[in-house]
Amino acid sequence: SAERWLDRSEEAGVVNDVVIYSSVIDACGKAGDAERALRVYRRMQANGIKPHIVALAALARPFAYRGDWIKVESIATEMDAMGVKTNEYFVYAQLLSYAVSRPRQPDRAEECFRRAMSTGLQGNDYVANALSRAVGRTRSEELMQELCNGRQFIPSAAAPGARHSGLFPKSGRLDRPDLPRRRIAPQRGEAAGRGAGQ
């Protein structure tokens, strides 16, 4: 397994790169093994290696898929304490955790989205879809109009690094393949009309 390979690499003294640990965390996340991903993350920290946002987003993802928003929030808090700036991958994971939890957490999702937009985040349609699932289509459209001037997010395939990151689901779905994708941003003409009326 990826973790056994990491064991051998550490024993040989050749593991001192965040990219190596991040890759193992990502592999654990793709296998749905959130606890193992967390264990590798703690090993990385114990070896004095500071995580970057890609590693943190990969760590958050398996917890998000099972709706463990408490854990995802704790990772976000730790990330803030380290001074690591969020990105669209982490915001997607956090919104997803609110969307698939039972019960859903729409208020937390809205707060998360507001905070992300205040940082100038360049989102994408996965972020928009996760927001829609978490707060509902109508409210997500209102938030997009309020915080994004109704603009459409860039397609996920065009997001920087999205094609190679593996942090977004290949199917374009959120937590299950039977869930439809949704585009929630108002049309340009509609957005312009609302803006003119304000």
Side-chain angles (χ1 to χ4, degrees):
S1 71
E3 192 173 13
R4 286 197 295 272
W5 173 83
L6 183 62
D7 291 338
R8 292 193 296 270
S9 299
E10 285 184 341
E11 290 170 1
V14 298
V15 177
N16 59 0
D17 189 342
V18 65
V19 175
I20 296 175
Y21 283 97
S22 180
S23 298
V24 177
I25 292 170
D26 185 55
C28 294
K30 287 178 178 177
D33 195 338
E35 285 70 25
R36 182 169 292 181
L38 182 60
R39 188 163 62 242
V40 172
Y41 172 72
R42 296 304 181 199
R43 284 171 63 172
M44 177 176 66
Q45 290 183 307
N47 285 327
I49 299 174
K50 182 180 178 180
H52 52 35
I53 185 58
V54 176
L56 289 160
L59 174 63
R61 184 183 58 192
F63 290 103
Y65 281 155
R66 66 190 192 190
D68 190 350
W69 59 266
I70 294 176
K71 188 60 184 178
V72 175
E73 281 192 354
S74 74
I75 296 170
T77 299
E78 190 170 337
M79 183 173 73
D80 290 343
M82 290 186 292
V84 178
K85 186 178 179 180
T86 194
N87 68 3
E88 66 273 18
Y89 306 123
F90 194 93
V91 171
Y92 163 77
Q94 192 165 355
L95 290 173
L96 178 62
S97 73
Y98 300 133
V100 303
S101 67
R102 295 295 179 267
R104 285 191 306 167
Q105 301 293 322
D107 292 342
R108 291 179 179 274
E110 179 171 335
E111 180 183 357
C112 170
F113 185 70
R114 287 182 177 279
R115 186 167 56 249
M117 292 300 100
S118 72
T119 68
L121 179 81
Q122 176 64 69
N124 55 43
D125 56 349
Y126 286 110
V127 172
N129 289 341
L131 176 68
S132 182
R133 286 284 297 171
V135 305
R137 183 183 179 88
T138 299
R139 183 56 181 157
S140 69
E141 290 178 346
E142 293 171 350
L143 290 170
M144 291 288 289
Q145 179 63 34
E146 174 189 349
L147 302 174
C148 310
N149 295 321
R151 76 173 188 271
Q152 290 199 7
F153 280 156
I154 58 175
S156 55
R163 185 172 299 176
H164 306 289
S165 70
L167 293 174
F168 293 126
K170 293 182 180 179
S171 66
R173 304 303 196 264
L174 296 177
D175 54 327
R176 299 192 308 272
D178 57 313
L179 294 178
R181 292 182 63 182
R182 295 178 178 176
R183 295 195 63 83
I184 65 170
Q187 297 297 317
R188 291 181 181 274
E190 180 184 355
R194 290 180 183 175
Q198 290 177 351

